[in-house]
Amino acid sequence: MLFKQSLSIIDTMGQIESAEHPKLKVFHLNTFHAGRAAGLYNEILDFIYREKPDVILLQEVFEESLEGFGNALNGQLLFSQKCHISLNENEEPKAWGVAIGFRHKLINSSEDFYFGTRNTSNDLLLNVLNVRGAQPPASALLQARIEIGSERFNFGTTHFPWVKGAEPSEEQLKAFKRLDEIFNKTPDLIFTGDLNSPRGYRIFDSIAGRFRDNIPADVRTTMDTKVRPEATWEYVVDGFFTSEHYQVKYVRMVQGLSDHQGILGKVQKAAI
């Protein structure tokens, strides 16, 4: 796990609705190779700069793109590497994984691999043109606990192993069993991710049985055909979950940034 700090850090407490009971704007996005696959990197940065989220949870990011994300957020980022990957045959594979960005005080962080290992993430070199038949990238649950005033919020994100189709594979089920064991040790969590396993099927619904599913019921897909017209399958594969310690309001889907829709919402502590 790498810790990345942007060039400038600001005190954002003045932007929180209430220092006593803060509501954090949270943005989730599978970035489609940090925007490179669809030429939308600058659009993603502009969105983050314009919306000013407190926390961003990203998948399919290149380590070299973290400085740009950090500057747009005006904050810091944690990075968990899945593998090294190249987008064409003419470039060297580069570190690629998931990230959490935040504009508030970091208390602690963790990186727990449930599929593959850190050695896998360091050693595996892939080309996106033939990644489907290759050894799959490693997957970890990356977590960051941040503090705002007297309250603490624990965020986590992951990019779950891919499988063709909606039914989970044996490999996915084994990976989920290990992820579920990590969840057992992390009851206090705001969790987003590209689950590569849709709502209405075993893995997604198991997570929804443990945490609250905050994706609106009328959302039928989290793919974005505006960016990737062939992605017409109606699957909610991106998740935005919270434990009982939190409540989420004003959730909206964001289109035009990636082959996945982004998810934007406000999180605050629940009265329990």
Side-chain angles (χ1 to χ4, degrees), residues 169-180:
S169 67
E170 286 300 316
E171 193 172 58
Q172 281 187 318
L173 291 173
K174 290 178 181 178
F176 177 67
K177 182 178 179 180
R178 291 188 287 270
L179 177 59
D180 202 42

Side-chain angles (χ1 to χ4, degrees), residues 22-46:
K23 296 182 180 68
L24 302 187
K25 184 183 285 190
V26 177
F27 177 56
H28 155 91
L29 182 69
N30 178 320
T31 67
F32 204 14
H33 305 300
R36 289 181 54 193
L40 292 172
Y41 178 60
N42 289 332
E43 284 78 0
I44 298 172
L45 297 186
D46 288 345

Side-chain angles (χ1 to χ4, degrees), residues 139-154:
S139 293
L141 176 63
L142 177 64
Q143 295 184 69
R145 185 175 296 275
I146 63 174
E147 184 177 74
I148 304 95
S150 61
E151 295 192 345
R152 294 183 176 185
F153 296 74
N154 191 42

Side-chain angles (χ1 to χ4, degrees), residues 94-156:
K94 299 174 182 178
W96 181 86
V98 304
I100 301 176
F102 43 90
R103 298 191 288 127
H104 306 285
K105 181 180 178 181
L106 177 68
I107 299 301
N108 55 51
S109 62
S110 62
E111 178 190 48
D112 296 296
F113 282 90
Y114 59 87
F115 185 78
T117 65
R118 185 172 288 104
N119 287 339
T120 305
S121 73
N122 288 331
D123 297 341
L124 186 60
L125 306 178
L126 296 174
N127 186 292
V128 75
L129 299 178
N130 57 17
V131 68
R132 296 305 189 205
Q135 179 183 350
S139 293
L141 176 63
L142 177 64
Q143 295 184 69
R145 185 175 296 275
I146 63 174
E147 184 177 74
I148 304 95
S150 61
E151 295 192 345
R152 294 183 176 185
F153 296 74
N154 191 42
F155 290 90

Side-chain angles (χ1 to χ4, degrees), residues 226-243:
K226 290 184 178 180
V227 174
R228 189 178 176 189
E230 70 273 19
T232 56
W233 45 91
E234 292 192 343
Y235 292 142
V236 174
V237 295
D238 294 84
F240 188 168
F241 299 94
T242 47
S243 65

Side-chain angles (χ1 to χ4, degrees), residues 12-23:
T12 57
M13 287 302 296
Q15 299 175 17
I16 299 174
E17 296 178 18
S18 165
E20 203 170 313
H21 300 290
K23 296 182 180 68

